[in-house]
């Protein structure tokens, strides 16, 4: 198997100015790839190119994509995101609608064999409970129509961060196979538990310290950006060429630990 020839690759990384996106951009740069950073603020390290964008604004996204016209794109890492404390509207625009728009606009100009990786979250692990409705939303491409749909279903989007991570996982699953068959582009998601980045404190206030303590008890530590960046790179590489449309949990055994506790509780009554 040929190793990925990183120096020939142009990889667009959103959220490259901080946390997980920054670490992904660093690791790609170390391997010789050309990183095109899309963020609302400039990255703290020298990357091949920086384009300022507000991923919550469709016009800003369209302008960023237009400025990439001449460059072939081999990979897209949709990493930028905001926590619940940013407000529900910003959450759905940046974490969901903006990500969809950027991906849809870049898709036709991506080289066959390319890959898209979406940063979801373990917060979205209950997506199957709302799959039918989230499927409906996944199939609305128009920004205004999607906003109207979200407005009409606002009750289901309380706890907007988790719900739009669910929506992201459902969208990834909904379109990945079609995009792979028609365009030769693989799309997958990566779902971390808590990661020590600048938005970690927002997560503690949104989900509660007790929840974080429970996770710590089950995984031994909080993840670092490195723990998440490495699987993102793997899903970009040719090595993962037969992985399409999955949501890869990268959470130190959190769900396995919960499964073990659930099974012990269920089995316990029949034990002598
Ligand atoms: N840190 C965690 O515990 C954790 C856990 C699970 C999932 N995630 C997800 O990982 C991703 C990265 O988070 P992080 O922890 O590295 O956070 P971070 O705050 O360190 O980085 C987020 C980046 O997104 C950029 N960004 C935010 N709003 C933007 C906008 N409107 N337009 C353009 N860029 C914008 C920021 O400038 C920043 O560079 C997010 O999607 C987040 O939901 C994080």
């Amino acid at each position: 198997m040929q190793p990925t020839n990183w120096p020939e690759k142009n990889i667009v990384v959103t959220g490259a100015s901080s946390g997980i996106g920054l670490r992904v951009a660093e690791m790609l740069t170390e391997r010789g790839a050309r990183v095109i950073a899309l963020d609302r603020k400039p990255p703290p390290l020298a990357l091949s190119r920086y384009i300022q964008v507000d991923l919550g604004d469709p016009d800003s996204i369209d302008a960023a994509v237009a400025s990439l016209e001449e460059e072939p794109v081999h990979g897209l890492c949709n990493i930028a995101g905001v926590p619940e404390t940013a407000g529900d509207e910003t959450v759905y625009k940046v974490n969901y609608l903006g990500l969809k728009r950027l991906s849809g606009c870049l898709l036709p100009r991506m080289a066959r064999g390319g890959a898209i990786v979406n940063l979801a979250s373990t917060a979205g692990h209950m997506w199957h409970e709302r799959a039918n409705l989230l499927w409906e939303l996944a199939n609305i491409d128009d920004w205004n129509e999607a906003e109207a749909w979200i407005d009409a279903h606002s009750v289901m989007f309380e706890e907007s961060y988790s719900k739009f991570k669910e929506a992201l996982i459902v969208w990834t699953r909904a379109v990945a196979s079609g995009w792979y068959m028609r365009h030769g582009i693989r799309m997958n998601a990566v779902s971390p538990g808590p990661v020590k980045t600048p938005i970690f404190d927002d997560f503690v206030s949104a989900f509660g310290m007790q929840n974080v303590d429970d996770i710590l008890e089950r995984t031994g530590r909080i993840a670092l950006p490195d723990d998440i960046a490495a699987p993102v790179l793997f899903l970009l590489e040719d090595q993962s060429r037969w992985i399409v449309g999955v949501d890869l949990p990268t959470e130190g055994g959190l769900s396995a630990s919960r499964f073990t506790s659930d099974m012990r509780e269920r089995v316990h009554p029949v034990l002598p």
Side-chain angles (χ1 to χ4, degrees):
M1 186 194 307
Q2 293 295 316
T4 300
N5 193 355
W6 289 113
E8 286 182 0
K9 309 279 184 192
N10 292 330
I11 313 288
V12 173
V13 181
T14 75
S17 301
S18 176
I20 299 165
L22 172 59
R23 190 61 195 123
V24 166
E26 270 174 345
M27 285 171 74
L28 287 167
T29 303
E30 282 159 18
R31 283 156 177 74
R34 206 166 165 273
V35 174
I36 303 161
L38 263 61
D39 204 299
R40 64 183 167 182
K41 59 178 194 210
L45 78 168
L47 296 170
S48 301
R49 193 162 168 207
Y50 164 60
I51 302 170
Q52 186 171 36
V53 66
D54 176 0
L55 290 166
D57 173 359
D59 294 337
S60 175
I61 296 168
D62 295 350
V65 171
S67 76
L68 282 168
E69 193 120 11
E70 301 305 316
E71 306 181 63
V73 174
H74 306 97
L76 166 63
C77 301
N78 282 315
I79 301 181
V82 290
E84 189 129 349
T85 47
D88 295 346
E89 190 175 331
T90 307
V91 167
Y92 78 66
K93 286 184 173 172
V94 177
N95 294 10
Y96 184 70
L97 292 185
L99 182 157
K100 273 177 72 173
R101 189 177 191 99
L102 178 67
S103 307
C105 291
L106 280 182
L107 179 70
R109 63 182 62 168
M110 283 183 76
R112 281 190 89 80
I116 301 175
V117 183
N118 298 328
L119 242 295
S121 169
T122 50
H125 77 289
M126 302 294 274
W127 60 267
H128 40 85
E129 294 209 343
R130 281 163 282 278
N132 289 0
L133 276 171
L134 294 175
W135 165 266
E136 259 182 44
L137 178 60
N139 285 292
I140 304 174
D141 288 332
D142 179 76
W143 184 288
N144 294 328
E145 219 183 293
E147 275 207 279
W149 191 98
I150 291 165
D151 198 36
H153 295 80
S154 55
V155 178
M156 92 182 248
F157 291 112
E158 281 162 14
E159 299 173 351
S160 59
Y161 181 82
S162 304
K163 298 296 166 36
F164 283 100
K165 288 300 185 186
E166 290 179 6
L168 174 56
I169 293 167
V170 170
W171 177 72
T172 303
R173 293 172 69 88
V175 301
S177 156
W179 285 15
Y180 180 60
M181 295 302 284
R182 284 196 299 278
H183 303 271
I185 302 296
R186 294 183 301 111
M187 181 156 75
N188 292 290
V190 164
S191 277
V195 188
K196 197 75 187 134
T197 70
I199 56 173
F200 178 70
D201 291 342
D202 290 84
F203 288 131
V204 176
S205 41
F207 296 110
M209 197 59 213
Q210 204 181 345
N211 205 349
V212 175
D213 283 343
D214 172 66
I215 292 172
L216 259 177
E217 210 169 290
R218 292 174 183 281
T219 59
R221 67 177 173 85
I222 296 296
L224 298 172
D226 247 15
D227 297 316
I228 315 306
V232 170
L233 259 67
F234 168 68
L235 288 174
L236 281 180
E237 286 183 66
D238 302 335
Q239 281 189 77
S240 61
R241 62 184 174 275
W242 206 230
I243 304 180
V244 179
V246 308
D247 171 39
L248 180 67
T250 49
E251 32 74 308
L254 181 61
S255 60
S257 156
R258 286 185 173 143
F259 171 74
T260 308
S261 312
D262 286 353
M263 289 307 284
R264 279 209 186 105
E265 258 172 50
R266 262 197 261 173
V267 171
H268 182 71
V270 297
L271 289 178

